[in-house]
Amino acid sequence: SAGYRHYGDDYVWGMAEDEGGEEELRLQARVDLNLFDGFRKGSVVERDTLDVRRARLDLTELKRLLITTLDNSLLDYQVALQNLSVARSGITEAEESLRVVELSFEEGVETATEVLDAIVLLSRAKTNYIAAKRTVFLNYYQILRTIEAFNP
């Protein structure tokens, strides 16, 4: 702050003329400097360092989780393909069983119940094949989603 004052104007005693009084010119500067912040800066730096470390650990954990998910999805896909192969062979076996039962029924050796049982088994084998095929597709698209998570 700055200020100016002229001394010598003495109106209180009835002397209004200037008697060559004194002039005072003041200039004041104020500087505030905090020498001690209560260890605040150190704690803020430490907190931020811990936040960065936590973020790195979270990223590492996420990468490991994605790798594990991808490995599991690949294993599930291989198992699903094997199950599909087994389901195909199940249909082949059920068709052959139905053919044998139908021939035996025509010869009079088997009853209609055995023919119906063979038809039910063939139907179940086809249902298993459809379920196995569905599982193959689910696992395939799970792999694609996991790979896309690696490259957003």
Side-chain angles (χ1 to χ4, degrees):
S1 67
Y4 169 78
R5 188 165 186 169
H6 179 76
Y7 293 101
D9 295 335
D10 196 1
Y11 292 107
V12 176
W13 303 108
M15 298 168 28
E17 67 268 358
D18 190 7
E19 297 178 4
E22 244 176 78
E23 289 185 4
E24 179 180 320
L25 181 61
R26 282 187 185 187
L27 182 62
Q28 182 180 7
R30 180 177 172 178
V31 176
D32 288 331
L33 181 61
N34 191 1
L35 297 177
F36 181 66
D37 65 353
F39 302 113
R40 183 172 180 253
K41 182 179 178 183
S43 64
V44 168
V45 168
E46 185 178 346
R47 183 192 68 210
D48 292 344
T49 302
L50 289 175
D51 286 345
V52 168
R53 183 172 180 228
R54 184 185 57 193
R56 285 184 183 148
L57 291 174
D58 288 346
L59 182 62
T60 302
E61 183 180 347
L62 182 61
K63 285 180 181 178
R64 288 181 182 164
L65 178 65
L66 284 173
I67 289 170
T68 302
T69 302
L70 182 61
D71 288 343
N72 289 340
S73 296
L74 289 171
L75 290 173
D76 289 344
Y77 183 71
Q78 290 173 352
V79 169
L81 287 175
Q82 291 170 355
N83 287 342
L84 186 64
S85 175
V86 169
R88 273 192 205 123
S89 65
I91 290 175
T92 305
E93 289 175 10
E95 287 173 342
E96 181 62 23
S97 175
L98 179 61
R99 187 185 69 78
V100 169
V101 168
E102 284 177 340
L103 288 175
S104 296
F105 177 73
E106 289 174 2
E107 295 295 323
V109 178
E110 298 287 343
T111 63
T113 306
E114 281 82 20
V115 174
L116 291 175
D117 285 344
I119 292 172
V120 167
L121 289 176
L122 178 60
S123 176
R124 189 174 297 155
K126 288 180 180 180
T127 303
N128 289 341
Y129 176 76
I130 291 169
K133 201 170 193 178
R134 175 186 171 272
T135 305
V136 167
F137 284 118
L138 285 175
N139 289 319
Y140 174 76
Y141 287 107
Q142 178 65 37
I143 291 169
L144 290 182
R145 281 193 301 265
T146 304
I147 291 171
E148 287 174 2
F150 278 112
N151 301 318

